[in-house]
Amino acid sequence: MSHTSSTSDVLRNAGTTVASDASWALEKQFDRIIAEHSRAIWRLACSYEPVAGRREELMQDIALALWQALPHFRGECSERTFVFRIAHNRGLSHIWKRKPAHESIDKLPERDHPIDERPEPEEQAAQECRRVALMSAVRSLPVTYRQMILLMLEDLSHAEMAEIVGITERNVAVRLNRARKALKEALEGQS
Amino acid sequence: MTLDAELAAWREDWHSEVEPLPDVKRKIRQRQERAVAAAILTSTCVAISTIRAFRRPSPFISGLAVGLWFTTIFVGGCACCLRRGTWKQCARAGLAYAELSYRRAVAKARIIRLSFWVCLGTIVVLCIAFAWDWKHLTIGYGMILAALVAEAAVFRRCGRRKEREIAETKQQLDNLKDQLATGSEGLSLS
């Protein structure tokens, strides 16, 4: 009897250890993914949501969706494809659920640090202006073009884009070409 | 400027942002805490009512305990049934994700509607019980009744919001289907 109970205790302890090890490994993987892709996710959130407060909410939603989907990730695609697909899907859901904006849309990003903390402040300021103009032009694009432009700017291959958006590589090339033209027009329209 | 140089310039500008990043784990922690709190609250209510029903058996307390057990199991079971087919991960592409989003929104709306009617039913039953015998209407039970009324109002509001979300998701789904059918880049998804 005591032998049976000690065996079941050992099995229970082993089960608990395996479960806690798996959850620890998952948390480590999540932390690593966030560390590697958080900048790209933030840029994506910026392009989907112009209002600063809601942008942070979208970032939180993307992180939550990643956390929930990570246990189901079976490595059928690259980790980057997985992250971008979830982030884009969450961005789409965000647009579908979006309420009309009551806050003013920020044309320039809020800064709590000086712009010239790096060398060549004039060049930095000029680049910041170009970045804001680019972001504004990207936001003005329809969602399917916006998705392609975002993926292109994040340096993803056509195959990865096709996997993320769910279209063929040939369609990616066509849509990307049109999206680039639309972006160029939007940028020219600003200047 | 050649196209590649143009793309390189765009990429350089795009990657030049240095905004500080928010704490991305806040919502994950909130969701976990909320799930634990809901489980503890439900278990506590069911356990207290069951213990009281066993210690001081009376038709009212026994009815309350049975009602709580029934509601927990019935609503939980119905929620599982309604969510069938929406448990899939969200790492899907394009149309598949739009369809999944639509199914999820519909399932959530049904669960909210069911919860509203169960809540309303409970309020009616409690009101009849209190009308039958006013001596049971203590401050504690009055507060439970008030909480149920507030909960019903919240469910009603959430239900209306979810209906709007369903309409929006359906429209986007139809747009996506049209685009795929015509092969056009009409793109009304903005």
Side-chain angles (χ1 to χ4, degrees), chain A residues 39 110-128, chain B residues 16-21:
Chain A
R39 278 271 156 218
E110 61 291 340
R111 289 199 167 277
D112 51 5
H113 57 277
I115 202 163
D116 58 349
E117 59 186 15
R118 288 173 289 173
E120 298 159 1
E122 292 87 2
E123 172 55 27
Q124 292 300 328
Q127 191 172 45
E128 182 61 20
Chain B
S16 69
E17 61 88 32
V18 286
E19 279 184 67
L21 295 173

PDB file of all heavy atoms in Angstrom, chain A residues 39 110-128, chain B residues 16-21:
ATOM      1  N   ARG A  39      10.013  45.780 -31.199  1.00  0.00           N
ATOM      2  CA  ARG A  39      10.118  47.033 -31.992  1.00  0.00           C
ATOM      3  C   ARG A  39       9.234  46.943 -33.241  1.00  0.00           C
ATOM      4  O   ARG A  39       8.504  47.884 -33.562  1.00  0.00           O
ATOM      5  CB  ARG A  39      11.571  47.274 -32.416  1.00  0.00           C
ATOM      6  CG  ARG A  39      12.403  47.913 -31.349  1.00  0.00           C
ATOM      7  CD  ARG A  39      12.340  49.442 -31.431  1.00  0.00           C
ATOM      8  NE  ARG A  39      12.640  49.991 -30.126  1.00  0.00           N
ATOM      9  CZ  ARG A  39      12.059  51.052 -29.602  1.00  0.00           C
ATOM     10  NH1 ARG A  39      11.124  51.688 -30.262  1.00  0.00           N
ATOM     11  NH2 ARG A  39      12.378  51.501 -28.429  1.00  0.00           N
ATOM     12  N   GLU A 110       4.704  61.732 -29.333  1.00  0.00           N
ATOM     13  CA  GLU A 110       5.050  62.396 -28.085  1.00  0.00           C
ATOM     14  C   GLU A 110       6.474  61.981 -27.669  1.00  0.00           C
ATOM     15  O   GLU A 110       6.875  60.834 -27.871  1.00  0.00           O
ATOM     16  CB  GLU A 110       4.042  62.040 -26.984  1.00  0.00           C
ATOM     17  CG  GLU A 110       3.942  60.566 -26.611  1.00  0.00           C
ATOM     18  CD  GLU A 110       3.327  59.708 -27.703  1.00  0.00           C
ATOM     19  OE1 GLU A 110       2.635  60.239 -28.587  1.00  0.00           O
ATOM     20  OE2 GLU A 110       3.585  58.503 -27.678  1.00  0.00           O
ATOM     21  N   ARG A 111       7.225  62.918 -27.150  1.00  0.00           N
ATOM     22  CA  ARG A 111       8.613  62.622 -26.780  1.00  0.00           C
ATOM     23  C   ARG A 111       8.878  63.105 -25.364  1.00  0.00           C
ATOM     24  O   ARG A 111       8.513  64.216 -25.020  1.00  0.00           O
ATOM     25  CB  ARG A 111       9.588  63.354 -27.717  1.00  0.00           C
ATOM     26  CG  ARG A 111       9.597  62.793 -29.092  1.00  0.00           C
ATOM     27  CD  ARG A 111      10.871  63.208 -29.806  1.00  0.00           C
ATOM     28  NE  ARG A 111      11.025  62.419 -30.996  1.00  0.00           N
ATOM     29  CZ  ARG A 111      11.546  61.215 -31.021  1.00  0.00           C
ATOM     30  NH1 ARG A 111      11.991  60.655 -29.923  1.00  0.00           N
ATOM     31  NH2 ARG A 111      11.634  60.550 -32.144  1.00  0.00           N
ATOM     32  N   ASP A 112       9.498  62.239 -24.565  1.00  0.00           N
ATOM     33  CA  ASP A 112       9.907  62.706 -23.251  1.00  0.00           C
ATOM     34  C   ASP A 112      11.425  62.707 -23.147  1.00  0.00           C
ATOM     35  O   ASP A 112      11.992  62.698 -22.092  1.00  0.00           O
ATOM     36  CB  ASP A 112       9.277  61.843 -22.142  1.00  0.00           C
ATOM     37  CG  ASP A 112       9.510  60.370 -22.371  1.00  0.00           C
ATOM     38  OD1 ASP A 112      10.232  60.036 -23.330  1.00  0.00           O
ATOM     39  OD2 ASP A 112       8.988  59.569 -21.579  1.00  0.00           O
ATOM     40  N   HIS A 113      12.064  62.676 -24.293  1.00  0.00           N
ATOM     41  CA  HIS A 113      13.525  62.760 -24.303  1.00  0.00           C
ATOM     42  C   HIS A 113      13.931  63.693 -25.437  1.00  0.00           C
ATOM     43  O   HIS A 113      13.193  63.842 -26.402  1.00  0.00           O
ATOM     44  CB  HIS A 113      14.138  61.377 -24.471  1.00  0.00           C
ATOM     45  CG  HIS A 113      13.670  60.673 -25.708  1.00  0.00           C
ATOM     46  ND1 HIS A 113      12.487  59.975 -25.743  1.00  0.00           N
ATOM     47  CD2 HIS A 113      14.193  60.599 -26.946  1.00  0.00           C
ATOM     48  CE1 HIS A 113      12.321  59.466 -26.961  1.00  0.00           C
ATOM     49  NE2 HIS A 113      13.333  59.842 -27.692  1.00  0.00           N
ATOM     50  N   PRO A 114      15.114  64.327 -25.313  1.00  0.00           N
ATOM     51  CA  PRO A 114      15.528  65.269 -26.364  1.00  0.00           C
ATOM     52  C   PRO A 114      15.783  64.554 -27.679  1.00  0.00           C
ATOM     53  O   PRO A 114      16.186  63.394 -27.696  1.00  0.00           O
ATOM     54  CB  PRO A 114      16.816  65.878 -25.814  1.00  0.00           C
ATOM     55  CG  PRO A 114      17.296  64.929 -24.791  1.00  0.00           C
ATOM     56  CD  PRO A 114      16.102  64.243 -24.244  1.00  0.00           C
ATOM     57  N   ILE A 115      15.526  65.284 -28.773  1.00  0.00           N
ATOM     58  CA  ILE A 115      15.682  64.665 -30.086  1.00  0.00           C
ATOM     59  C   ILE A 115      17.167  64.501 -30.463  1.00  0.00           C
ATOM     60  O   ILE A 115      17.524  63.654 -31.253  1.00  0.00           O
ATOM     61  CB  ILE A 115      14.917  65.501 -31.136  1.00  0.00           C
ATOM     62  CG1 ILE A 115      14.600  64.636 -32.350  1.00  0.00           C
ATOM     63  CG2 ILE A 115      15.671  66.753 -31.559  1.00  0.00           C
ATOM     64  CD1 ILE A 115      13.536  65.201 -33.236  1.00  0.00           C
ATOM     65  N   ASP A 116      18.025  65.337 -29.871  1.00  0.00           N
ATOM     66  CA  ASP A 116      19.433  65.339 -30.279  1.00  0.00           C
ATOM     67  C   ASP A 116      20.328  64.609 -29.283  1.00  0.00           C
ATOM     68  O   ASP A 116      21.429  65.039 -29.010  1.00  0.00           O
ATOM     69  CB  ASP A 116      19.912  66.779 -30.479  1.00  0.00           C
ATOM     70  CG  ASP A 116      19.759  67.612 -29.232  1.00  0.00           C
ATOM     71  OD1 ASP A 116      19.092  67.124 -28.297  1.00  0.00           O
ATOM     72  OD2 ASP A 116      20.315  68.722 -29.201  1.00  0.00           O
ATOM     73  N   GLU A 117      19.832  63.495 -28.740  1.00  0.00           N
ATOM     74  CA  GLU A 117      20.697  62.774 -27.798  1.00  0.00           C
ATOM     75  C   GLU A 117      21.782  61.995 -28.538  1.00  0.00           C
ATOM     76  O   GLU A 117      22.765  61.580 -27.963  1.00  0.00           O
ATOM     77  CB  GLU A 117      19.870  61.850 -26.898  1.00  0.00           C
ATOM     78  CG  GLU A 117      19.075  60.811 -27.614  1.00  0.00           C
ATOM     79  CD  GLU A 117      18.173  60.035 -26.670  1.00  0.00           C
ATOM     80  OE1 GLU A 117      17.951  60.464 -25.536  1.00  0.00           O
ATOM     81  OE2 GLU A 117      17.693  58.981 -27.107  1.00  0.00           O
ATOM     82  N   ARG A 118      21.576  61.795 -29.869  1.00  0.00           N
ATOM     83  CA  ARG A 118      22.600  61.139 -30.660  1.00  0.00           C
ATOM     84  C   ARG A 118      23.351  62.207 -31.455  1.00  0.00           C
ATOM     85  O   ARG A 118      22.885  63.350 -31.531  1.00  0.00           O
ATOM     86  CB  ARG A 118      21.937  60.137 -31.602  1.00  0.00           C
ATOM     87  CG  ARG A 118      21.414  58.921 -30.851  1.00  0.00           C
ATOM     88  CD  ARG A 118      20.612  58.032 -31.742  1.00  0.00           C
ATOM     89  NE  ARG A 118      19.343  58.654 -32.082  1.00  0.00           N
ATOM     90  CZ  ARG A 118      18.499  58.154 -32.962  1.00  0.00           C
ATOM     91  NH1 ARG A 118      18.790  57.052 -33.598  1.00  0.00           N
ATOM     92  NH2 ARG A 118      17.367  58.760 -33.221  1.00  0.00           N
ATOM     93  N   PRO A 119      24.466  61.848 -32.059  1.00  0.00           N
ATOM     94  CA  PRO A 119      25.192  62.866 -32.836  1.00  0.00           C
ATOM     95  C   PRO A 119      24.367  63.355 -34.021  1.00  0.00           C
ATOM     96  O   PRO A 119      23.407  62.717 -34.433  1.00  0.00           O
ATOM     97  CB  PRO A 119      26.452  62.141 -33.290  1.00  0.00           C
ATOM     98  CG  PRO A 119      26.320  60.728 -32.896  1.00  0.00           C
ATOM     99  CD  PRO A 119      25.169  60.576 -31.994  1.00  0.00           C
ATOM    100  N   GLU A 120      24.752  64.475 -34.577  1.00  0.00           N
ATOM    101  CA  GLU A 120      24.111  65.111 -35.737  1.00  0.00           C
ATOM    102  C   GLU A 120      22.605  65.328 -35.512  1.00  0.00           C
ATOM    103  O   GLU A 120      21.763  64.673 -36.132  1.00  0.00           O
ATOM    104  CB  GLU A 120      24.339  64.270 -37.009  1.00  0.00           C
ATOM    105  CG  GLU A 120      25.802  64.140 -37.376  1.00  0.00           C
ATOM    106  CD  GLU A 120      26.054  62.932 -38.279  1.00  0.00           C
ATOM    107  OE1 GLU A 120      25.097  62.239 -38.625  1.00  0.00           O
ATOM    108  OE2 GLU A 120      27.210  62.712 -38.618  1.00  0.00           O
ATOM    109  N   PRO A 121      22.242  66.242 -34.630  1.00  0.00           N
ATOM    110  CA  PRO A 121      20.826  66.444 -34.318  1.00  0.00           C
ATOM    111  C   PRO A 121      19.988  66.900 -35.505  1.00  0.00           C
ATOM    112  O   PRO A 121      18.825  66.529 -35.620  1.00  0.00           O
ATOM    113  CB  PRO A 121      20.845  67.508 -33.223  1.00  0.00           C
ATOM    114  CG  PRO A 121      22.187  68.092 -33.238  1.00  0.00           C
ATOM    115  CD  PRO A 121      23.112  67.055 -33.787  1.00  0.00           C
ATOM    116  N   GLU A 122      20.587  67.711 -36.423  1.00  0.00           N
ATOM    117  CA  GLU A 122      19.803  68.180 -37.579  1.00  0.00           C
ATOM    118  C   GLU A 122      19.389  67.000 -38.455  1.00  0.00           C
ATOM    119  O   GLU A 122      18.238  66.906 -38.892  1.00  0.00           O
ATOM    120  CB  GLU A 122      20.614  69.186 -38.434  1.00  0.00           C
ATOM    121  CG  GLU A 122      20.889  70.506 -37.769  1.00  0.00           C
ATOM    122  CD  GLU A 122      22.162  70.489 -36.923  1.00  0.00           C
ATOM    123  OE1 GLU A 122      22.846  69.430 -36.906  1.00  0.00           O
ATOM    124  OE2 GLU A 122      22.455  71.503 -36.276  1.00  0.00           O
ATOM    125  N   GLU A 123      20.361  66.127 -38.688  1.00  0.00           N
ATOM    126  CA  GLU A 123      20.086  64.942 -39.511  1.00  0.00           C
ATOM    127  C   GLU A 123      19.022  64.063 -38.830  1.00  0.00           C
ATOM    128  O   GLU A 123      18.109  63.535 -39.479  1.00  0.00           O
ATOM    129  CB  GLU A 123      21.390  64.156 -39.741  1.00  0.00           C
ATOM    130  CG  GLU A 123      21.225  62.804 -40.423  1.00  0.00           C
ATOM    131  CD  GLU A 123      20.492  62.847 -41.762  1.00  0.00           C
ATOM    132  OE1 GLU A 123      20.526  63.893 -42.441  1.00  0.00           O
ATOM    133  OE2 GLU A 123      19.859  61.833 -42.095  1.00  0.00           O
ATOM    134  N   GLN A 124      19.131  63.938 -37.489  1.00  0.00           N
ATOM    135  CA  GLN A 124      18.151  63.135 -36.736  1.00  0.00           C
ATOM    136  C   GLN A 124      16.752  63.741 -36.853  1.00  0.00           C
ATOM    137  O   GLN A 124      15.773  63.020 -37.028  1.00  0.00           O
ATOM    138  CB  GLN A 124      18.547  63.067 -35.254  1.00  0.00           C
ATOM    139  CG  GLN A 124      19.813  62.280 -34.971  1.00  0.00           C
ATOM    140  CD  GLN A 124      19.696  60.826 -35.430  1.00  0.00           C
ATOM    141  OE1 GLN A 124      18.625  60.250 -35.404  1.00  0.00           O
ATOM    142  NE2 GLN A 124      20.813  60.277 -35.875  1.00  0.00           N
ATOM    143  N   ALA A 125      16.717  65.078 -36.737  1.00  0.00           N
ATOM    144  CA  ALA A 125      15.417  65.758 -36.819  1.00  0.00           C
ATOM    145  C   ALA A 125      14.799  65.583 -38.204  1.00  0.00           C
ATOM    146  O   ALA A 125      13.587  65.331 -38.332  1.00  0.00           O
ATOM    147  CB  ALA A 125      15.592  67.241 -36.503  1.00  0.00           C
ATOM    148  N   ALA A 126      15.650  65.697 -39.236  1.00  0.00           N
ATOM    149  CA  ALA A 126      15.150  65.526 -40.606  1.00  0.00           C
ATOM    150  C   ALA A 126      14.635  64.109 -40.811  1.00  0.00           C
ATOM    151  O   ALA A 126      13.581  63.897 -41.427  1.00  0.00           O
ATOM    152  CB  ALA A 126      16.275  65.835 -41.597  1.00  0.00           C
ATOM    153  N   GLN A 127      15.378  63.136 -40.270  1.00  0.00           N
ATOM    154  CA  GLN A 127      14.958  61.737 -40.405  1.00  0.00           C
ATOM    155  C   GLN A 127      13.644  61.483 -39.659  1.00  0.00           C
ATOM    156  O   GLN A 127      12.779  60.756 -40.137  1.00  0.00           O
ATOM    157  CB  GLN A 127      16.047  60.800 -39.865  1.00  0.00           C
ATOM    158  CG  GLN A 127      15.776  59.354 -40.224  1.00  0.00           C
ATOM    159  CD  GLN A 127      16.909  58.428 -39.874  1.00  0.00           C
ATOM    160  OE1 GLN A 127      17.464  58.512 -38.785  1.00  0.00           O
ATOM    161  NE2 GLN A 127      17.252  57.550 -40.782  1.00  0.00           N
ATOM    162  N   GLU A 128      13.513  62.138 -38.499  1.00  0.00           N
ATOM    163  CA  GLU A 128      12.283  61.993 -37.713  1.00  0.00           C
ATOM    164  C   GLU A 128      11.083  62.536 -38.511  1.00  0.00           C
ATOM    165  O   GLU A 128      10.022  61.914 -38.531  1.00  0.00           O
ATOM    166  CB  GLU A 128      12.446  62.748 -36.376  1.00  0.00           C
ATOM    167  CG  GLU A 128      11.268  62.646 -35.440  1.00  0.00           C
ATOM    168  CD  GLU A 128      10.950  61.225 -35.003  1.00  0.00           C
ATOM    169  OE1 GLU A 128      11.831  60.345 -35.099  1.00  0.00           O
ATOM    170  OE2 GLU A 128       9.810  60.998 -34.613  1.00  0.00           O
TER     171      GLU A 128
ATOM    172  N   SER B  16      13.976  53.995 -37.892  1.00  0.00           N
ATOM    173  CA  SER B  16      14.686  55.002 -37.091  1.00  0.00           C
ATOM    174  C   SER B  16      13.920  55.415 -35.833  1.00  0.00           C
ATOM    175  O   SER B  16      14.405  56.227 -35.059  1.00  0.00           O
ATOM    176  CB  SER B  16      14.967  56.247 -37.943  1.00  0.00           C
ATOM    177  OG  SER B  16      13.746  56.896 -38.227  1.00  0.00           O
ATOM    178  N   GLU B  17      12.711  54.875 -35.633  1.00  0.00           N
ATOM    179  CA  GLU B  17      11.923  55.310 -34.463  1.00  0.00           C
ATOM    180  C   GLU B  17      12.550  54.799 -33.161  1.00  0.00           C
ATOM    181  O   GLU B  17      13.048  53.685 -33.091  1.00  0.00           O
ATOM    182  CB  GLU B  17      10.459  54.893 -34.585  1.00  0.00           C
ATOM    183  CG  GLU B  17      10.199  53.415 -34.664  1.00  0.00           C
ATOM    184  CD  GLU B  17      10.046  52.761 -33.335  1.00  0.00           C
ATOM    185  OE1 GLU B  17       9.556  53.399 -32.399  1.00  0.00           O
ATOM    186  OE2 GLU B  17      10.466  51.589 -33.228  1.00  0.00           O
ATOM    187  N   VAL B  18      12.535  55.679 -32.169  1.00  0.00           N
ATOM    188  CA  VAL B  18      13.170  55.345 -30.885  1.00  0.00           C
ATOM    189  C   VAL B  18      12.203  55.578 -29.715  1.00  0.00           C
ATOM    190  O   VAL B  18      12.631  55.821 -28.598  1.00  0.00           O
ATOM    191  CB  VAL B  18      14.460  56.174 -30.659  1.00  0.00           C
ATOM    192  CG1 VAL B  18      15.584  55.675 -31.515  1.00  0.00           C
ATOM    193  CG2 VAL B  18      14.200  57.650 -30.903  1.00  0.00           C
ATOM    194  N   GLU B  19      10.904  55.503 -30.005  1.00  0.00           N
ATOM    195  CA  GLU B  19       9.923  55.706 -28.922  1.00  0.00           C
ATOM    196  C   GLU B  19      10.079  54.613 -27.865  1.00  0.00           C
ATOM    197  O   GLU B  19      10.300  53.454 -28.223  1.00  0.00           O
ATOM    198  CB  GLU B  19       8.501  55.626 -29.496  1.00  0.00           C
ATOM    199  CG  GLU B  19       8.045  56.903 -30.143  1.00  0.00           C
ATOM    200  CD  GLU B  19       6.599  56.800 -30.604  1.00  0.00           C
ATOM    201  OE1 GLU B  19       5.730  56.705 -29.737  1.00  0.00           O
ATOM    202  OE2 GLU B  19       6.386  56.800 -31.809  1.00  0.00           O
ATOM    203  N   PRO B  20       9.940  54.975 -26.584  1.00  0.00           N
ATOM    204  CA  PRO B  20      10.048  53.934 -25.559  1.00  0.00           C
ATOM    205  C   PRO B  20       8.878  52.955 -25.643  1.00  0.00           C
ATOM    206  O   PRO B  20       7.745  53.354 -25.917  1.00  0.00           O
ATOM    207  CB  PRO B  20      10.008  54.723 -24.242  1.00  0.00           C
ATOM    208  CG  PRO B  20       9.439  56.044 -24.581  1.00  0.00           C
ATOM    209  CD  PRO B  20       9.720  56.308 -26.014  1.00  0.00           C
ATOM    210  N   LEU B  21       9.162  51.669 -25.443  1.00  0.00           N
ATOM    211  CA  LEU B  21       8.125  50.646 -25.564  1.00  0.00           C
ATOM    212  C   LEU B  21       7.352  50.483 -24.256  1.00  0.00           C
ATOM    213  O   LEU B  21       7.930  50.603 -23.183  1.00  0.00           O
ATOM    214  CB  LEU B  21       8.763  49.301 -25.936  1.00  0.00           C
ATOM    215  CG  LEU B  21       9.429  49.230 -27.301  1.00  0.00           C
ATOM    216  CD1 LEU B  21      10.148  47.905 -27.462  1.00  0.00           C
ATOM    217  CD2 LEU B  21       8.409  49.401 -28.399  1.00  0.00           C
TER     218      LEU B  21
END
